[in-house]
Amino acid sequence: MPASLSLVHDDAAARPPFAPTPWTRPAQERVSADAGHGSAGRTLHFSPDSEIYADGDECQSYYRVVSGVVRTCKFRSDGRRQIDAFYLPGEAFGFEAGARHTLCAEAVSEAVVVAFRWRGQASLPDDARAAQDLFAEALNEMRRAQEHALLLGRRSALQKVAAFVIDIVDRLSARQRRHDEDGVELAMSRQDIADYLGLTIETVSRTLSLLERDEAIALPAARRLRLVDRAALRAAAA
Amino acid sequence: MPASLSLVHDDAAARPPFAPTPWTRPAQERVSADAGHGSAGRTLHFSPDSEIYADGDECQSYYRVVSGVVRTCKFRSDGRRQIDAFYLPGEAFGFEAGARHTLCAEAVSEAVVVAFRWRGQASLPDDARAAQDLFAEALNEMRRAQEHALLLGRRSALQKVAAFVIDIVDRLSARQRRHDEDGVELAMSRQDIADYLGLTIETVSRTLSLLERDEAIALPAARRLRLVDRAALRAAAA
DNA sequence: CGCTAAATTGATCCTCGTCAACACCCGTGG
DNA sequence: CCACGGGTGTTGACGAGGATCAATTTAGCG
């Protein structure tokens, strides 16, 4: 098959214009793709804040993160952003119940993802094994979304942040070399965290500082996080 | 096959004791089941507030609501409850990514549901058609949970309540006779709504009163709701 | 009818959002 | 080497929105 196609979405420039937002829209995506390895999927590279697909785009693939971090989010008419999920290496995203995406996906950091052809519409692959995997991923996504909803409902800023810290550190440290000493590297900004938790950057920052004062965590650098007292954190997450 | 089995969960009495909560635990479930029609699934009857399955129970089935309303929820250690979803006639629930339920399901009103044998663990039925349907339902659930999370993140009480009203009225009026005159019948209490939206009953009540004063809705009775000005509601939901 | 739970309404408090100032980190260029 | 500048993060002061506490009113049901 031909190698250097303009893959996945070259219509990114033709977005419906959004209401005036405080958000500087991310730089255009750079999809320098190689041909991928046969039936396995195509490898795509994205620079920070570039768009993988947009809200409203037709579903053409689902994706798996190879390296870096990806976020899915929604932009609201008042210019606010809400982040639905962060995806770390090994995790899959891009499923939809319908034919079009209902969220947009962006690279948080420099990211490499593999795209697997999938036409959406709840279609299952013919291959039984692949169908099985896709179903498992969808159920996983479902659970993740449910837990996120429960996290956002009636919980204090402290509980939200503590729960987020536990979750992200566990998921990151499973993959990351060099933790325990300086902790893990957070790819996302305070704004990303705030938009994920339904808080403001100020509250996120304050709460992280509070957790550091209480010696539940350490912040060797703004985006480096070490878990000091897991029990205290769990208590804070209630 | 034998008709009057004690179906689906007769171990309901042997729950792990919960921390002292302001919640009067619901009356024990009444699973007066008939045999169901062959391979289609078993029909189960539940009285208001009775438990369909508990958080932690092994997955044995997924379910479809025939009549009445079902809620899935989580009880927190401080005695607070969070509702993940309401299920109306025609809607399916009870999927899990693992072998055990991570939420509990309860009847909101008198309810009839059909249980379909399913062992959880992301297993797909052999039958291709059934597998297809199950996958579609799972993706649907995923979308619902995502939308719920977005609803709970950084939105005002007014926006939450207005969005809830639109959603529930649309879903109910599709199925319910006798609307437009008195509006639709809400099966859920203010507490249910509050626990779904991450608000208090007082705020829900106040906000509904406000919407009524603004003539966006009418409340002929506490649990009867008529949509008067959809445009105003949509504007309130932002 | 009278009892009880559910819903509404009011008064007060507190968390978190908002606005603002400042510190920090890194580039670039003098 | 330091000056500058912009983006990012931190911290403080203040106010608004919703939680909490409390008192009625209404509805449901024996």
Side-chain angles (χ1 to χ4, degrees):
Chain A
M1 62 180 70
S4 61
L5 283 172
S6 172
L7 290 172
V8 186
H9 307 287
D10 46 3
D11 59 338
R15 296 273 153 267
F18 246 117
T21 81
W23 290 101
T24 56
R25 294 299 294 138
Q28 246 13 280
E29 66 203 279
R30 309 253 166 278
V31 288
S32 66
D34 57 73
H37 20 103
S39 65
R42 307 181 193 231
T43 302
L44 307 175
H45 300 257
F46 295 93
S47 50
D49 293 327
S50 64
E51 190 175 84
I52 300 172
Y53 55 77
D55 184 0
D57 275 0
E58 233 181 305
C59 292
Q60 302 184 336
S61 313
Y62 72 96
Y63 306 82
R64 191 175 297 276
V65 180
V66 176
S67 69
V69 178
V70 170
R71 64 177 174 244
T72 51
C73 57
K74 196 111 186 163
F75 290 90
R76 298 183 29 65
S77 50
D78 61 357
R80 296 235 180 120
R81 184 184 63 164
Q82 288 191 254
I83 293 183
D84 181 60
F86 294 112
Y87 297 94
L88 307 184
E91 300 176 347
F93 67 97
F95 310 110
E96 294 289 343
R100 294 185 168 276
H101 289 293
T102 58
L103 297 163
C104 92
E106 299 171 346
V108 173
S109 60
E110 201 74 42
V112 177
V113 309
V114 187
F116 300 91
R117 184 121 202 103
W118 183 58
R119 69 179 188 281
Q121 302 269 42
S123 59
L124 273 173
D126 296 328
D127 175 42
R129 179 103 191 105
Q132 186 65 250
D133 289 350
L134 198 56
F135 184 53
E137 289 292 355
L139 285 172
N140 227 19
E141 255 317 272
M142 186 192 77
R143 170 156 63 179
R144 192 205 51 70
Q146 282 176 0
E147 278 167 8
H148 190 207
L150 294 179
L151 179 62
L152 294 183
R154 201 127 59 136
R155 273 172 148 95
S156 70
L158 179 61
Q159 291 174 319
K160 288 179 182 179
V161 173
F164 171 76
V165 166
I166 293 174
D167 176 54
I168 205 72
V169 167
D170 284 350
R171 284 160 67 197
L172 277 173
S173 54
R175 281 246 162 192
Q176 244 176 253
R177 291 302 117 242
R178 179 186 172 227
H179 49 92
D180 275 325
E181 223 27 59
D182 325 328
V184 295
E185 169 80 21
L186 291 182
M188 61 284 291
S189 67
R190 296 289 186 269
Q191 185 69 66
D192 286 327
I193 299 173
D195 290 345
Y196 177 73
L197 296 176
L199 299 170
T200 58
I201 45 174
E202 293 94 332
T203 300
V204 170
S205 181
R206 267 187 259 272
T207 309
L208 285 173
S209 299
L210 179 73
L211 287 172
E212 189 176 29
R213 264 196 296 285
D214 292 353
E215 294 177 331
I217 62 173
L219 295 163
R223 301 212 183 170
R224 200 151 261 285
L225 176 62
R226 185 159 44 88
L227 208 147
V228 176
D229 186 346
R230 174 178 290 264
L233 263 186
R234 296 206 67 84
Chain B
M1 63 180 70
S4 62
L5 283 172
S6 171
L7 290 174
V8 185
H9 305 287
D10 47 5
D11 58 338
R15 297 271 154 268
F18 248 116
T21 81
W23 291 100
T24 55
R25 292 301 292 135
Q28 245 16 277
E29 68 202 277
R30 311 254 166 279
V31 288
S32 65
D34 57 74
H37 19 104
S39 65
R42 307 182 196 232
T43 302
L44 306 175
H45 300 257
F46 294 92
S47 51
D49 292 328
S50 65
E51 190 174 82
I52 299 172
Y53 55 78
D55 185 0
D57 275 0
E58 233 181 306
C59 292
Q60 302 184 335
S61 311
Y62 73 95
Y63 306 83
R64 191 176 296 277
V65 180
V66 175
S67 69
V69 178
V70 170
R71 65 176 173 244
T72 50
C73 56
K74 196 111 186 165
F75 290 91
R76 300 185 23 70
S77 50
D78 60 358
R80 297 239 181 116
R81 184 183 64 163
Q82 290 190 254
I83 293 184
D84 180 61
F86 294 112
Y87 297 93
L88 307 185
E91 300 175 347
F93 66 97
F95 310 108
E96 294 289 344
R100 293 184 169 277
H101 289 292
T102 57
L103 297 163
C104 93
E106 299 171 346
V108 173
S109 60
E110 201 75 41
V112 178
V113 310
V114 187
F116 300 91
R117 185 120 202 104
W118 183 58
R119 67 180 190 280
Q121 302 270 41
S123 59
L124 272 174
D126 296 327
D127 174 43
R129 179 103 191 104
Q132 186 64 250
D133 289 349
L134 198 56
F135 183 53
E137 289 291 356
L139 286 173
N140 227 19
E141 252 321 270
M142 186 192 78
R143 171 157 62 178
R144 192 205 51 70
Q146 281 177 1
E147 279 167 7
H148 190 207
L150 294 179
L151 180 61
L152 294 183
R154 201 126 57 134
R155 273 170 148 95
S156 70
L158 179 61
Q159 292 175 318
K160 288 179 182 179
V161 172
F164 171 76
V165 166
I166 293 174
D167 177 53
I168 205 72
V169 167
D170 283 350
R171 284 160 67 199
L172 277 173
S173 54
R175 280 247 162 194
Q176 243 176 252
R177 291 303 118 246
R178 181 188 173 224
H179 49 91
D180 274 324
E181 224 25 59
D182 325 328
V184 295
E185 169 80 23
L186 291 182
M188 59 285 289
S189 67
R190 295 290 187 270
Q191 185 70 66
D192 286 327
I193 299 173
D195 290 345
Y196 177 73
L197 296 176
L199 299 170
T200 58
I201 45 173
E202 294 93 332
T203 300
V204 170
S205 181
R206 266 187 260 272
T207 309
L208 285 173
S209 299
L210 179 73
L211 287 172
E212 190 178 28
R213 263 197 296 287
D214 292 354
E215 295 177 330
I217 62 172
L219 296 164
R223 301 213 182 169
R224 199 152 261 286
L225 176 63
R226 186 159 45 86
L227 208 146
V228 176
D229 187 346
R230 174 179 290 263
L233 263 186
R234 296 206 68 83

